[in-house]
Amino acid sequence: MSTQLRLDLTHAVTDTDLQLLQPNILEAHELLHSGRGAGSEFTGWLDLPSSFDREEFIRIQNAAARIRCAADVLIVIGIGGSYLGTRATLELLSHSFHNQLPRDRRPGTAVYFAGHQLSPTYLNDLIDIIGDKDVVINVISKSGTTTEPAIAFRHLRQWMEQKYGQAEARRRIYATTDRARGALKQLADDEGYETFVVPDDIGGRYSVLTAVGLLPIAAAGIDINALMAGAADAMNAYREPSLASNACYRYAAARQHLYRQGKSIEVLAAYEPGTQYLVEWWKQLYGESEGKDNKGLFPASLQLTTDLHSMGQYIQDGLRQLFETVLTFDRPRRDLQIPRVESDGDGLNFLAGQSMHYVNERAMAGTLLAHVDGGVPNIHIALPEPDAYNLGHLFYFFEKACAISGYMLGVNPFDQPGVESYKKNMFALLGKPGYEAAKAELEKRLQR
């Protein structure tokens, strides 16, 4: 099986523009593949589709099967890379109303998310929803001390123990965490939770194809073998550093060319609502990887055609500091034919007999040309259909392009030092021991 991912740069850059960047691509490729680049200790994702732990993969499949049998609901507790890849996969590949379908009409358990923010309203509402259902929890954290998921897990663990008793709650909690250390690993060992590994050499935003994503994805009934096969084929397809043949590197080079031409925002635009969390995953991947040293494209997104009725005016006629990357699928998961009606009051009988997907595709093509005419360069990425194989391929495509693009930019694409700043301030303002001096200064600043 092979994907037919297609990258069209016609409306963004020329081949001459790209070829001028071939030396930069060769340098970035060498830094990544030799392990000499900054952050190389976090490049385990690079060969993951062929080197992943087969024994743990089988354990994941077995645990997912048990979850599907034991639970109406799986709650995934995590934030950032511990949550976005999973949610992206479920939203794109599952029924739009997966959680609302009767159990016999969906392939896996319903999946809800917690620990990805600090809203008490959300957590209370979630507990209302799951109250009379059989529940399993997958808590995901490398350390076990990240504030948002740790607070959610405190509440939900207590709720589980009250509902099932301690012994049964332990059987219904799965921890995906560090192999050997950390607060969550210690708790899991003490309580006897089944554990899965967050690899030391893969950062959170690159971790969707590890146990972090694979366990809840499999529990929802999605084929993780196909997901990994798509990623493996992408790994093989994008090994050579020639811009003439490597679509992944062409995308990275096009982004950097446009950045050097003064574009500061990349908008990922998609024409299926199921891509909402895929673009959120992409935004974290690129924003956290490239936004350093006062450099980097700002990653934004549009859900089309919906946002044409809100943001369309700005994209067409606003400040020309952006370009679009448009993501489409040749075939939808499901289609509908437009019916003919006698009155034709809406004037749409000229479309009778056409599919809604055809109309969506024509809207995309017309929008792309209009935006190009308005001075917005457009990159187009197309895949045959939204399935597990193609999504696995796309995950790897974006991950590797991000690494190459980051090295071309001159930053470490695998760290996130800026994320620590808000945490230090938050801990100080909350009165965490050891932050007393910082708290007094921050309180003064807030009062100014």
Side-chain angles (χ1 to χ4, degrees), residues 52-369:
F52 65 90
D53 185 334
R54 266 62 179 183
E55 182 178 337
E56 182 174 61
F57 192 82
I58 293 171
R59 283 206 307 118
I60 288 169
Q61 291 177 307
N62 291 338
R66 292 197 302 274
I67 291 169
R68 292 195 298 270
C69 290
D72 302 310
V73 169
L74 169 66
I75 299 176
V76 177
I77 302 175
I79 195 168
S82 297
Y83 132 85
L84 280 171
T86 297
R87 193 157 191 177
T89 304
L90 302 190
E91 295 277 340
L92 182 64
L93 303 185
S94 301
H95 191 285
S96 300
F97 303 96
H98 172 87
N99 286 351
Q100 285 73 49
L101 286 174
R103 183 64 186 87
D104 60 358
R105 291 189 57 200
R106 50 181 161 80
T109 186
V111 181
Y112 292 94
F113 296 89
H116 53 292
Q117 26 73 350
L118 288 168
S119 168
T121 301
Y122 178 94
L123 195 54
N124 274 298
D125 290 351
L126 175 61
I127 291 171
D128 287 344
I129 286 292
I130 64 174
D132 61 347
K133 296 178 171 61
D134 278 324
V135 177
V136 165
I137 286 176
N138 179 202
V139 55
I140 305 168
S141 176
K142 181 75 169 171
S143 65
T145 60
T146 304
T147 305
E148 295 90 340
I151 288 175
F153 185 46
R154 276 195 174 207
H155 280 284
L156 290 167
R157 176 188 171 202
Q158 184 180 68
W159 182 87
M160 291 283 281
E161 290 175 349
Q162 290 172 350
K163 180 180 176 72
Y164 293 107
Q166 284 192 340
E168 180 62 17
R170 288 168 181 157
R171 287 190 286 270
R172 289 176 171 269
I173 296 174
Y174 296 80
T176 305
T177 188
D178 191 90
R179 185 183 301 276
R181 60 187 181 274
L184 181 56
K185 173 60 176 172
Q186 183 63 56
L187 176 65
D189 288 347
D190 291 345
E191 295 292 321
Y193 304 152
E194 183 168 359
T195 61
F196 297 90
V197 175
V198 180
D200 289 335
D201 58 356
I202 300 177
R205 59 188 178 273
Y206 290 85
S207 68
V208 61
L209 299 177
T210 71
V212 168
L214 294 179
L215 177 59
I217 289 168
I222 292 169
D223 185 356
I224 59 174
N225 284 297
L227 196 71
M228 296 303 290
D233 282 352
M235 180 187 69
N236 293 324
Y238 306 130
R239 282 190 185 279
E240 298 302 320
S242 170
L243 281 171
S245 58
N246 190 324
C248 176
Y249 286 15
R250 287 172 68 82
Y251 172 58
R255 297 178 77 252
Q256 287 304 310
H257 170 78
L258 292 166
Y259 178 67
R260 295 174 189 187
Q261 295 300 306
K263 302 301 182 185
S264 59
I265 299 171
E266 179 179 11
V267 177
L268 184 59
Y271 282 76
E272 280 290 340
T275 58
Q276 178 179 353
Y277 279 90
L278 177 59
V279 300
E280 292 300 318
W281 171 85
W282 172 89
K283 282 157 68 174
Q284 184 199 6
L285 178 66
Y286 281 83
E288 209 168 62
S289 296
E290 292 190 322
K292 293 155 195 170
D293 303 331
N294 297 312
K295 299 177 183 178
L297 285 158
F298 182 83
S301 62
L302 292 172
Q303 288 296 318
L304 304 178
T305 59
T306 303
D307 285 340
L308 293 176
H309 298 264
S310 57
M311 292 298 294
Q313 175 61 42
Y314 187 93
I315 302 299
Q316 189 69 44
D317 288 337
L319 191 63
R320 302 293 78 181
Q321 84 272 41
L322 58 87
F323 69 92
E324 282 179 290
T325 296
V326 180
L327 176 64
T328 65
F329 296 94
D330 298 339
R331 298 179 295 277
R333 285 194 297 107
R334 305 174 77 180
D335 206 350
L336 277 173
Q337 193 175 75
I338 299 169
R340 177 178 296 276
V341 296
E342 282 299 319
S343 61
D344 196 28
D346 54 16
L348 293 179
N349 268 355
F350 77 100
L351 293 174
Q354 296 285 3
S355 72
M356 281 188 68
H357 177 69
Y358 170 78
V359 177
N360 201 20
E361 190 277 332
R362 292 290 84 189
M364 181 280 296
T367 302
L368 186 151
L369 293 175

Side-chain angles (χ1 to χ4, degrees), residues 38-41 205 288-290 292 406-407 410-415:
S40 60
E41 66 272 25
R205 59 188 178 273
E288 209 168 62
S289 296
E290 292 190 322
K292 293 155 195 170
Y407 281 144
V411 300
N412 178 349
F414 307 113
D415 68 354

